[in-house]
Amino acid sequence: MAFPRSSSVSFFTFLLFAVLINTAISSRVSSFIKLPGSIDESVSSSLTSYCESWRLAVETNNAGSWRVVPSQCVSSLETYYDKGQFDKDYSVVAGYAHAYAKTIKLKGDGKDAWVFDIDETLLSNLKYYKAHGYGSEPYNSIAFNEWVVQGTAPGFAASLKLFNRLKKLGFTIILLTGRDEVQRSVTEQNLLDAGYSGWEYLLLRGHEDQGKAAAQYKSEQRSRMVKKGYRLHGNTGDQWSDLQGFAVADRSFKVPNPMYYIP
């Protein structure tokens, strides 16, 4: 079918205009939205992004049981600690814990309690783990215990601040650690040197606790405190096994630790 010349010109002008508009819109949209070609591509496109996602999975317990930090993520963890993001993350958690603690009406009978873990919660073993690949090496109990008995682990600024704030509010402080009873003296002195004082209990593994999973051991210890009449309003720890099980606190606060996992 033939078209008049004027109609033909108008049609092609419209067609050219439509193509140009479509190209401009597509270009503008692509500058805002770029979808990955596949899930695998989005995960592997950036090592940094992968390691940050791995750390999130670890902290939220979605990674489940794991043994060592992936070797390709060692540099990412070094940056996480050395550039201050770890300290910021810890401070945020401590801030939420303090805000919650202030909402509790204490009975004034000395039975309103808060539980703290010690390693990677009150005391930092970062110096040890730096020398052992930030957790990328399998755990060596002999080497770690040699570090513990030196008694030089520093405290965390955020945890010391929270610790003192809770005491000021009137909470009884219970320290519950996976360290052995034979390490009581060095642990007490290390805590004092790091600025902590005034706790009511320091609970360590006795002979009868050897071989127990952390969650079982800590649940049993908390249960003993509850039977003594203590009301466990809060619990702060770096491992999920510090916080879960039975006789759990009313609120639990998981502080960051992507260097190791204790079931």
Side-chain angles (χ1 to χ4, degrees), residues 66-195:
W66 54 280
R67 292 185 65 251
V68 295
V69 170
S71 58
Q72 63 267 38
C73 293
V74 171
S75 178
S76 176
L77 284 193
E78 183 176 12
T79 299
Y80 175 62
Y81 282 98
D82 289 352
K83 299 301 182 182
Q85 188 59 52
F86 167 83
D87 296 320
K88 293 175 183 177
D89 290 348
Y90 199 132
S91 293
V92 168
V93 176
Y96 281 122
H98 181 232
Y100 161 70
K102 290 191 295 182
T103 68
I104 300 170
K105 186 175 181 179
L106 306 188
K107 293 188 176 181
D109 59 0
K111 296 296 185 179
D112 294 296
W114 197 286
V115 181
F116 279 97
D117 171 55
I118 292 181
D119 291 299
E120 269 58 67
T121 301
L122 297 183
L123 297 178
S124 171
N125 299 302
L126 182 59
K127 184 177 179 180
Y128 170 84
Y129 281 98
K130 274 187 177 182
H132 294 271
Y134 287 88
S136 63
E137 299 177 8
Y139 175 67
N140 184 322
S141 60
I142 295 175
F144 182 72
N145 285 327
E146 289 175 350
W147 156 260
V148 167
V149 298
Q150 293 178 30
T152 58
F156 297 101
S159 65
L160 182 57
K161 186 176 183 179
L162 175 62
F163 185 96
N164 288 328
R165 280 178 163 179
L166 293 175
K167 284 197 307 177
K168 187 175 182 179
L169 287 173
F171 285 92
T172 293
I173 305 297
I174 299 172
L175 307 184
L176 176 52
T177 176
R179 292 186 178 193
D180 291 338
E181 182 63 41
V182 295
Q183 297 171 328
R184 176 177 294 276
S185 179
V186 69
T187 300
E188 288 177 337
Q189 191 58 53
N190 195 162
L191 287 165
L192 291 169
D193 291 344

Side-chain angles (χ1 to χ4, degrees), residues 26-40:
S26 298
S27 175
R28 187 175 182 83
V29 170
S30 65
S31 68
F32 286 97
I33 304 172
K34 185 177 182 180
L35 298 176
S38 67
I39 293 177
D40 289 341

Side-chain angles (χ1 to χ4, degrees), residues 35-47 49-51 53:
L35 298 176
S38 67
I39 293 177
D40 289 341
E41 178 185 329
S42 66
V43 170
S44 61
S45 62
S46 168
L47 182 58
S49 294
Y50 166 75
C51 291
S53 297

